[in-house]
Amino acid sequence: EADIYQTPRYLVIGTGKKITLECSQTMGHDKMYWYQQDPGMELHLIHYSYGVNSTEKGDLSSESTVSRIRTEHFPLTLESARPSHTSQYLCASSGSSGGAKNIQYFGAGTRLSVL
Amino acid sequence: DAKTTQPPSMDCAEGRAANLPCNHSTISGNEYVYWYRQIHSQGPQYIIHGLKNNETNEMASLIITEDRKSSTLILPHATLRDTAVYYCIVRVAHLGGGAQKLVFGQGTRLTINP
């Protein structure tokens, strides 16, 4: 079992609200990722971090922002939620050891609905 | 870039072995084969990975052909809880700082029937 946690699991919120999706991992992984997935569709990378104080944008444009102040935390923030932000947000992490460095472990996801 | 081809859907009877194929004919010599699955509304779950040799863990077995152009994930005794979308991944996009993005395709929707 992967030790990566996302809260909340479900969130229904009104347009214009500021929200933060939490992601924490206890594996000491230096790399963390945020993916976005609509129902029945592929996962798209929106943010990643390769260590403390590093944040990078993925290949899917997103109005969200992220921060990485501590190794174990990688929260995602939407300053003003809109219905177009309705989606599932998945957090993942990976380490740097071993030949297969790409094993990413995912959290359970946050399903966001913006009304 | 290596890409994969998987059947869109498969059915398997509970208790039987589920064999999920994946073609990756353009795989490079140093690219691993990863398998993940995603149960409805949950995050993807890592299953197994391999480079050349067959691999087995508590969840599944991975058989990679000698030419590495295809592989098969085997769930030896499928249960209803194995119903999920299974992804075979060989393509990894290299990002900054050594981070790497897994490229998920459409996967195979496996249904285990009672």
Side-chain angles (χ1 to χ4, degrees), chain A residues 31-63:
Chain A
K31 299 169 185 62
M32 297 188 74
Y33 310 82
W34 278 102
Y35 291 83
Q36 185 175 340
Q37 184 182 33
D38 292 326
M41 304 299 285
E42 298 178 20
L43 281 77
H44 294 284
L45 183 70
I46 53 174
H47 298 284
Y48 69 96
S49 166
Y50 48 81
V52 171
N53 293 325
S54 90
T55 59
E56 305 289 341
K57 290 192 178 295
D59 49 22
L60 179 67
S61 176
S62 174
E63 294 168 343

Side-chain angles (χ1 to χ4, degrees), chain B residues 47-111:
Chain B
I47 300 173
I48 198 168
H49 74 279
L51 183 62
K52 296 180 183 178
N53 301 319
N54 299 337
E55 302 288 345
T56 295
N57 63 19
E58 64 278 3
M59 288 183 68
S61 294
L62 174 61
I63 308 298
I64 302 174
T65 58
E66 193 169 342
D67 63 8
R68 302 213 325 123
K69 293 185 176 181
S70 65
S71 61
T72 301
L73 179 75
I74 302 172
L75 307 177
H77 305 286
T79 70
L80 298 179
R81 290 190 298 177
D82 292 322
T83 293
V85 178
Y86 286 76
Y87 297 98
C88 169
I89 299 168
V90 300
R91 182 178 169 197
V92 174
H94 297 275
L95 308 172
Q100 293 172 322
K101 180 187 76 171
L102 299 175
V103 179
F104 288 79
Q106 295 294 330
T108 295
R109 183 171 298 276
L110 175 68
T111 302

